[in-house]
PDB file of all heavy atoms in Angstrom:
ATOM      1  N   PHE U 204      -0.540  -3.962  -5.478  1.00  0.00           N
ATOM      2  CA  PHE U 204       0.450  -2.993  -5.007  1.00  0.00           C
ATOM      3  C   PHE U 204       0.899  -3.409  -3.610  1.00  0.00           C
ATOM      4  O   PHE U 204       0.068  -3.596  -2.715  1.00  0.00           O
ATOM      5  CB  PHE U 204      -0.154  -1.587  -4.920  1.00  0.00           C
ATOM      6  CG  PHE U 204      -0.534  -0.981  -6.232  1.00  0.00           C
ATOM      7  CD1 PHE U 204      -1.828  -1.123  -6.734  1.00  0.00           C
ATOM      8  CD2 PHE U 204       0.375  -0.249  -6.976  1.00  0.00           C
ATOM      9  CE1 PHE U 204      -2.187  -0.550  -7.942  1.00  0.00           C
ATOM     10  CE2 PHE U 204       0.026   0.323  -8.186  1.00  0.00           C
ATOM     11  CZ  PHE U 204      -1.259   0.171  -8.675  1.00  0.00           C
ATOM     12  N   ASP U 205       2.198  -3.554  -3.400  1.00  0.00           N
ATOM     13  CA  ASP U 205       2.731  -3.752  -2.053  1.00  0.00           C
ATOM     14  C   ASP U 205       3.149  -2.385  -1.549  1.00  0.00           C
ATOM     15  O   ASP U 205       4.042  -1.731  -2.130  1.00  0.00           O
ATOM     16  CB  ASP U 205       3.908  -4.722  -2.070  1.00  0.00           C
ATOM     17  CG  ASP U 205       3.463  -6.153  -2.351  1.00  0.00           C
ATOM     18  OD1 ASP U 205       2.286  -6.466  -2.082  1.00  0.00           O
ATOM     19  OD2 ASP U 205       4.279  -6.948  -2.847  1.00  0.00           O
ATOM     20  N   ILE U 206       2.484  -1.953  -0.487  1.00  0.00           N
ATOM     21  CA  ILE U 206       2.573  -0.559  -0.044  1.00  0.00           C
ATOM     22  C   ILE U 206       2.989  -0.466   1.419  1.00  0.00           C
ATOM     23  O   ILE U 206       2.471  -1.184   2.275  1.00  0.00           O
ATOM     24  CB  ILE U 206       1.207   0.139  -0.229  1.00  0.00           C
ATOM     25  CG1 ILE U 206       0.852   0.226  -1.721  1.00  0.00           C
ATOM     26  CG2 ILE U 206       1.193   1.518   0.411  1.00  0.00           C
ATOM     27  CD1 ILE U 206      -0.527   0.794  -1.986  1.00  0.00           C
ATOM     28  N   LYS U 207       3.922   0.404   1.700  1.00  0.00           N
ATOM     29  CA  LYS U 207       4.235   0.802   3.066  1.00  0.00           C
ATOM     30  C   LYS U 207       3.402   2.050   3.364  1.00  0.00           C
ATOM     31  O   LYS U 207       3.247   2.915   2.504  1.00  0.00           O
ATOM     32  CB  LYS U 207       5.721   1.117   3.211  1.00  0.00           C
ATOM     33  CG  LYS U 207       6.656  -0.074   2.970  1.00  0.00           C
ATOM     34  CD  LYS U 207       6.724  -0.980   4.176  1.00  0.00           C
ATOM     35  CE  LYS U 207       7.831  -2.007   4.025  1.00  0.00           C
ATOM     36  NZ  LYS U 207       7.999  -2.836   5.242  1.00  0.00           N
ATOM     37  N   PHE U 208       2.898   2.150   4.592  1.00  0.00           N
ATOM     38  CA  PHE U 208       2.060   3.309   4.920  1.00  0.00           C
ATOM     39  C   PHE U 208       2.350   3.821   6.329  1.00  0.00           C
ATOM     40  O   PHE U 208       2.850   3.084   7.182  1.00  0.00           O
ATOM     41  CB  PHE U 208       0.573   2.980   4.748  1.00  0.00           C
ATOM     42  CG  PHE U 208       0.073   1.817   5.583  1.00  0.00           C
ATOM     43  CD1 PHE U 208      -0.480   2.027   6.837  1.00  0.00           C
ATOM     44  CD2 PHE U 208       0.147   0.516   5.102  1.00  0.00           C
ATOM     45  CE1 PHE U 208      -0.950   0.965   7.603  1.00  0.00           C
ATOM     46  CE2 PHE U 208      -0.319  -0.558   5.852  1.00  0.00           C
ATOM     47  CZ  PHE U 208      -0.871  -0.329   7.113  1.00  0.00           C
ATOM     48  N   ARG U 209       2.012   5.097   6.544  1.00  0.00           N
ATOM     49  CA  ARG U 209       2.361   5.764   7.807  1.00  0.00           C
ATOM     50  C   ARG U 209       1.623   5.122   8.984  1.00  0.00           C
ATOM     51  O   ARG U 209       2.220   4.734   9.983  1.00  0.00           O
ATOM     52  CB  ARG U 209       2.023   7.250   7.731  1.00  0.00           C
ATOM     53  CG  ARG U 209       2.400   8.037   9.001  1.00  0.00           C
ATOM     54  CD  ARG U 209       1.945   9.486   8.940  1.00  0.00           C
ATOM     55  NE  ARG U 209       2.579  10.203   7.851  1.00  0.00           N
ATOM     56  CZ  ARG U 209       1.945  10.734   6.798  1.00  0.00           C
ATOM     57  NH1 ARG U 209       0.632  10.587   6.680  1.00  0.00           N
ATOM     58  NH2 ARG U 209       2.591  11.384   5.868  1.00  0.00           N
ATOM     59  N   ASP U 210       0.316   5.037   8.892  1.00  0.00           N
ATOM     60  CA  ASP U 210      -0.524   4.415   9.922  1.00  0.00           C
ATOM     61  C   ASP U 210      -1.866   4.091   9.291  1.00  0.00           C
ATOM     62  O   ASP U 210      -2.149   4.496   8.160  1.00  0.00           O
ATOM     63  CB  ASP U 210      -0.684   5.323  11.157  1.00  0.00           C
ATOM     64  CG  ASP U 210      -1.159   6.730  10.795  1.00  0.00           C
ATOM     65  OD1 ASP U 210      -2.178   6.858  10.083  1.00  0.00           O
ATOM     66  OD2 ASP U 210      -0.504   7.700  11.216  1.00  0.00           O
ATOM     67  N   ILE U 211      -2.701   3.363  10.009  1.00  0.00           N
ATOM     68  CA  ILE U 211      -3.942   2.874   9.416  1.00  0.00           C
ATOM     69  C   ILE U 211      -4.899   4.017   9.057  1.00  0.00           C
ATOM     70  O   ILE U 211      -5.621   3.944   8.053  1.00  0.00           O
ATOM     71  CB  ILE U 211      -4.633   1.851  10.350  1.00  0.00           C
ATOM     72  CG1 ILE U 211      -5.675   1.027   9.571  1.00  0.00           C
ATOM     73  CG2 ILE U 211      -5.216   2.516  11.573  1.00  0.00           C
ATOM     74  CD1 ILE U 211      -5.104   0.129   8.507  1.00  0.00           C
ATOM     75  N   ALA U 212      -4.880   5.097   9.840  1.00  0.00           N
ATOM     76  CA  ALA U 212      -5.739   6.238   9.526  1.00  0.00           C
ATOM     77  C   ALA U 212      -5.300   6.898   8.219  1.00  0.00           C
ATOM     78  O   ALA U 212      -6.135   7.262   7.377  1.00  0.00           O
ATOM     79  CB  ALA U 212      -5.716   7.255  10.672  1.00  0.00           C
ATOM     80  N   SER U 213      -3.993   7.045   8.036  1.00  0.00           N
ATOM     81  CA  SER U 213      -3.475   7.629   6.792  1.00  0.00           C
ATOM     82  C   SER U 213      -3.803   6.735   5.602  1.00  0.00           C
ATOM     83  O   SER U 213      -4.145   7.216   4.522  1.00  0.00           O
ATOM     84  CB  SER U 213      -1.958   7.820   6.890  1.00  0.00           C
ATOM     85  OG  SER U 213      -1.622   8.705   7.931  1.00  0.00           O
ATOM     86  N   LEU U 214      -3.678   5.406   5.784  1.00  0.00           N
ATOM     87  CA  LEU U 214      -4.011   4.476   4.710  1.00  0.00           C
ATOM     88  C   LEU U 214      -5.457   4.668   4.280  1.00  0.00           C
ATOM     89  O   LEU U 214      -5.760   4.727   3.079  1.00  0.00           O
ATOM     90  CB  LEU U 214      -3.782   3.034   5.168  1.00  0.00           C
ATOM     91  CG  LEU U 214      -4.127   1.938   4.149  1.00  0.00           C
ATOM     92  CD1 LEU U 214      -3.169   1.985   2.969  1.00  0.00           C
ATOM     93  CD2 LEU U 214      -4.102   0.554   4.804  1.00  0.00           C
ATOM     94  N   GLN U 215      -6.353   4.775   5.217  1.00  0.00           N
ATOM     95  CA  GLN U 215      -7.770   4.948   4.900  1.00  0.00           C
ATOM     96  C   GLN U 215      -8.035   6.253   4.148  1.00  0.00           C
ATOM     97  O   GLN U 215      -8.964   6.339   3.346  1.00  0.00           O
ATOM     98  CB  GLN U 215      -8.611   4.906   6.178  1.00  0.00           C
ATOM     99  CG  GLN U 215      -8.685   3.519   6.801  1.00  0.00           C
ATOM    100  CD  GLN U 215      -9.585   3.494   8.017  1.00  0.00           C
ATOM    101  OE1 GLN U 215      -9.241   4.024   9.074  1.00  0.00           O
ATOM    102  NE2 GLN U 215     -10.743   2.891   7.863  1.00  0.00           N
ATOM    103  N   GLN U 216      -7.187   7.241   4.407  1.00  0.00           N
ATOM    104  CA  GLN U 216      -7.335   8.533   3.726  1.00  0.00           C
ATOM    105  C   GLN U 216      -6.602   8.571   2.388  1.00  0.00           C
ATOM    106  O   GLN U 216      -6.687   9.565   1.660  1.00  0.00           O
ATOM    107  CB  GLN U 216      -6.810   9.657   4.627  1.00  0.00           C
ATOM    108  CG  GLN U 216      -7.581   9.836   5.918  1.00  0.00           C
ATOM    109  CD  GLN U 216      -6.855  10.719   6.920  1.00  0.00           C
ATOM    110  OE1 GLN U 216      -5.882  11.395   6.583  1.00  0.00           O
ATOM    111  NE2 GLN U 216      -7.313  10.717   8.159  1.00  0.00           N
ATOM    112  N   GLY U 217      -5.875   7.507   2.074  1.00  0.00           N
ATOM    113  CA  GLY U 217      -5.089   7.490   0.849  1.00  0.00           C
ATOM    114  C   GLY U 217      -3.877   8.396   0.937  1.00  0.00           C
ATOM    115  O   GLY U 217      -3.368   8.874  -0.080  1.00  0.00           O
ATOM    116  N   LYS U 218      -3.354   8.596   2.146  1.00  0.00           N
ATOM    117  CA  LYS U 218      -2.208   9.479   2.358  1.00  0.00           C
ATOM    118  C   LYS U 218      -1.063   8.701   3.000  1.00  0.00           C
ATOM    119  O   LYS U 218      -1.267   7.644   3.581  1.00  0.00           O
ATOM    120  CB  LYS U 218      -2.602  10.651   3.260  1.00  0.00           C
ATOM    121  CG  LYS U 218      -3.697  11.543   2.683  1.00  0.00           C
ATOM    122  CD  LYS U 218      -4.058  12.649   3.664  1.00  0.00           C
ATOM    123  CE  LYS U 218      -5.150  13.551   3.092  1.00  0.00           C
ATOM    124  NZ  LYS U 218      -5.545  14.624   4.043  1.00  0.00           N
ATOM    125  N   GLY U 219       0.156   9.249   2.898  1.00  0.00           N
ATOM    126  CA  GLY U 219       1.310   8.615   3.521  1.00  0.00           C
ATOM    127  C   GLY U 219       1.577   7.235   2.963  1.00  0.00           C
ATOM    128  O   GLY U 219       1.822   6.291   3.730  1.00  0.00           O
ATOM    129  N   LEU U 220       1.555   7.098   1.623  1.00  0.00           N
ATOM    130  CA  LEU U 220       1.747   5.803   0.969  1.00  0.00           C
ATOM    131  C   LEU U 220       3.099   5.757   0.258  1.00  0.00           C
ATOM    132  O   LEU U 220       3.540   6.746  -0.314  1.00  0.00           O
ATOM    133  CB  LEU U 220       0.637   5.552  -0.059  1.00  0.00           C
ATOM    134  CG  LEU U 220      -0.817   5.724   0.403  1.00  0.00           C
ATOM    135  CD1 LEU U 220      -1.759   5.438  -0.760  1.00  0.00           C
ATOM    136  CD2 LEU U 220      -1.122   4.820   1.588  1.00  0.00           C
ATOM    137  N   CYS U 221       3.722   4.588   0.279  1.00  0.00           N
ATOM    138  CA  CYS U 221       4.989   4.380  -0.424  1.00  0.00           C
ATOM    139  C   CYS U 221       4.952   2.996  -1.064  1.00  0.00           C
ATOM    140  O   CYS U 221       4.934   1.976  -0.359  1.00  0.00           O
ATOM    141  CB  CYS U 221       6.162   4.492   0.547  1.00  0.00           C
ATOM    142  SG  CYS U 221       7.785   4.242  -0.233  1.00  0.00           S
ATOM    143  N   ILE U 222       4.923   2.943  -2.386  1.00  0.00           N
ATOM    144  CA  ILE U 222       4.841   1.672  -3.110  1.00  0.00           C
ATOM    145  C   ILE U 222       6.240   1.058  -3.224  1.00  0.00           C
ATOM    146  O   ILE U 222       7.172   1.702  -3.691  1.00  0.00           O
ATOM    147  CB  ILE U 222       4.258   1.888  -4.517  1.00  0.00           C
ATOM    148  CG1 ILE U 222       2.820   2.414  -4.408  1.00  0.00           C
ATOM    149  CG2 ILE U 222       4.287   0.599  -5.337  1.00  0.00           C
ATOM    150  CD1 ILE U 222       2.237   2.882  -5.733  1.00  0.00           C
ATOM    151  N   VAL U 223       6.371  -0.200  -2.805  1.00  0.00           N
ATOM    152  CA  VAL U 223       7.663  -0.878  -2.896  1.00  0.00           C
ATOM    153  C   VAL U 223       7.688  -1.921  -4.015  1.00  0.00           C
ATOM    154  O   VAL U 223       8.757  -2.286  -4.505  1.00  0.00           O
ATOM    155  CB  VAL U 223       8.060  -1.516  -1.548  1.00  0.00           C
ATOM    156  CG1 VAL U 223       8.319  -0.432  -0.517  1.00  0.00           C
ATOM    157  CG2 VAL U 223       7.000  -2.491  -1.046  1.00  0.00           C
ATOM    158  N   GLU U 224       6.507  -2.426  -4.417  1.00  0.00           N
ATOM    159  CA  GLU U 224       6.439  -3.349  -5.544  1.00  0.00           C
ATOM    160  C   GLU U 224       5.067  -3.255  -6.217  1.00  0.00           C
ATOM    161  O   GLU U 224       4.072  -2.932  -5.568  1.00  0.00           O
ATOM    162  CB  GLU U 224       6.700  -4.803  -5.120  1.00  0.00           C
ATOM    163  CG  GLU U 224       8.158  -5.118  -4.873  1.00  0.00           C
ATOM    164  CD  GLU U 224       8.466  -6.611  -4.952  1.00  0.00           C
ATOM    165  OE1 GLU U 224       7.657  -7.363  -5.527  1.00  0.00           O
ATOM    166  OE2 GLU U 224       9.528  -7.000  -4.439  1.00  0.00           O
ATOM    167  N   ILE U 225       5.052  -3.562  -7.516  1.00  0.00           N
ATOM    168  CA  ILE U 225       3.810  -3.658  -8.276  1.00  0.00           C
ATOM    169  C   ILE U 225       3.828  -5.015  -8.963  1.00  0.00           C
ATOM    170  O   ILE U 225       4.719  -5.315  -9.748  1.00  0.00           O
ATOM    171  CB  ILE U 225       3.684  -2.536  -9.320  1.00  0.00           C
ATOM    172  CG1 ILE U 225       3.797  -1.162  -8.644  1.00  0.00           C
ATOM    173  CG2 ILE U 225       2.360  -2.648 -10.086  1.00  0.00           C
ATOM    174  CD1 ILE U 225       3.898  -0.008  -9.625  1.00  0.00           C
ATOM    175  N   ASN U 226       2.845  -5.851  -8.636  1.00  0.00           N
ATOM    176  CA  ASN U 226       2.805  -7.221  -9.135  1.00  0.00           C
ATOM    177  C   ASN U 226       1.659  -7.389 -10.124  1.00  0.00           C
ATOM    178  O   ASN U 226       0.579  -6.833  -9.936  1.00  0.00           O
ATOM    179  CB  ASN U 226       2.622  -8.186  -7.966  1.00  0.00           C
ATOM    180  CG  ASN U 226       3.676  -7.997  -6.891  1.00  0.00           C
ATOM    181  OD1 ASN U 226       4.772  -8.506  -7.002  1.00  0.00           O
ATOM    182  ND2 ASN U 226       3.351  -7.227  -5.859  1.00  0.00           N
ATOM    183  N   GLY U 227       1.895  -8.185 -11.156  1.00  0.00           N
ATOM    184  CA  GLY U 227       0.924  -8.320 -12.231  1.00  0.00           C
ATOM    185  C   GLY U 227      -0.027  -9.493 -12.098  1.00  0.00           C
ATOM    186  O   GLY U 227      -0.496  -9.834 -11.010  1.00  0.00           O
ATOM    187  N   ALA U 228      -0.275 -10.163 -13.227  1.00  0.00           N
ATOM    188  CA  ALA U 228      -1.371 -11.117 -13.342  1.00  0.00           C
ATOM    189  C   ALA U 228      -1.236 -12.343 -12.449  1.00  0.00           C
ATOM    190  O   ALA U 228      -2.238 -12.961 -12.100  1.00  0.00           O
ATOM    191  CB  ALA U 228      -1.517 -11.555 -14.801  1.00  0.00           C
ATOM    192  N   SER U 229      -0.032 -12.721 -12.062  1.00  0.00           N
ATOM    193  CA  SER U 229       0.115 -13.931 -11.247  1.00  0.00           C
ATOM    194  C   SER U 229       0.104 -13.638  -9.751  1.00  0.00           C
ATOM    195  O   SER U 229       0.256 -14.550  -8.938  1.00  0.00           O
ATOM    196  CB  SER U 229       1.418 -14.655 -11.595  1.00  0.00           C
ATOM    197  OG  SER U 229       2.541 -13.845 -11.279  1.00  0.00           O
ATOM    198  N   SER U 230      -0.091 -12.390  -9.374  1.00  0.00           N
ATOM    199  CA  SER U 230      -0.051 -12.044  -7.949  1.00  0.00           C
ATOM    200  C   SER U 230      -1.304 -12.545  -7.228  1.00  0.00           C
ATOM    201  O   SER U 230      -2.355 -12.771  -7.834  1.00  0.00           O
ATOM    202  CB  SER U 230       0.106 -10.537  -7.769  1.00  0.00           C
ATOM    203  OG  SER U 230      -0.888  -9.832  -8.474  1.00  0.00           O
ATOM    204  N   GLU U 231      -1.167 -12.686  -5.913  1.00  0.00           N
ATOM    205  CA  GLU U 231      -2.252 -13.208  -5.091  1.00  0.00           C
ATOM    206  C   GLU U 231      -2.839 -12.104  -4.213  1.00  0.00           C
ATOM    207  O   GLU U 231      -2.115 -11.227  -3.746  1.00  0.00           O
ATOM    208  CB  GLU U 231      -1.738 -14.316  -4.166  1.00  0.00           C
ATOM    209  CG  GLU U 231      -1.062 -15.465  -4.869  1.00  0.00           C
ATOM    210  CD  GLU U 231      -0.301 -16.367  -3.915  1.00  0.00           C
ATOM    211  OE1 GLU U 231      -0.223 -16.035  -2.705  1.00  0.00           O
ATOM    212  OE2 GLU U 231       0.210 -17.395  -4.371  1.00  0.00           O
ATOM    213  N   PRO U 232      -4.141 -12.155  -3.940  1.00  0.00           N
ATOM    214  CA  PRO U 232      -4.711 -11.273  -2.917  1.00  0.00           C
ATOM    215  C   PRO U 232      -4.167 -11.712  -1.561  1.00  0.00           C
ATOM    216  O   PRO U 232      -4.353 -12.864  -1.160  1.00  0.00           O
ATOM    217  CB  PRO U 232      -6.226 -11.521  -3.023  1.00  0.00           C
ATOM    218  CG  PRO U 232      -6.430 -12.259  -4.305  1.00  0.00           C
ATOM    219  CD  PRO U 232      -5.165 -13.014  -4.559  1.00  0.00           C
TER     220      PRO U 232
END
């Protein structure tokens, strides 16, 4: 998941997330 997020604290809480892309089997970590 390529995700935009509000700030690092919100990311850790699983809040303030906005997905811009979802990549499948050929995607890289």
Side-chain angles (χ1 to χ4, degrees):
F204 294 93
D205 289 336
I206 295 175
K207 296 281 190 175
F208 58 93
R209 182 185 298 116
D210 53 52
I211 197 66
S213 299
L214 178 67
Q215 289 183 288
Q216 296 167 13
K218 298 178 180 179
L220 309 180
C221 180
I222 297 170
V223 293
E224 283 201 18
I225 304 171
N226 305 278
S229 64
S230 54
E231 304 167 355

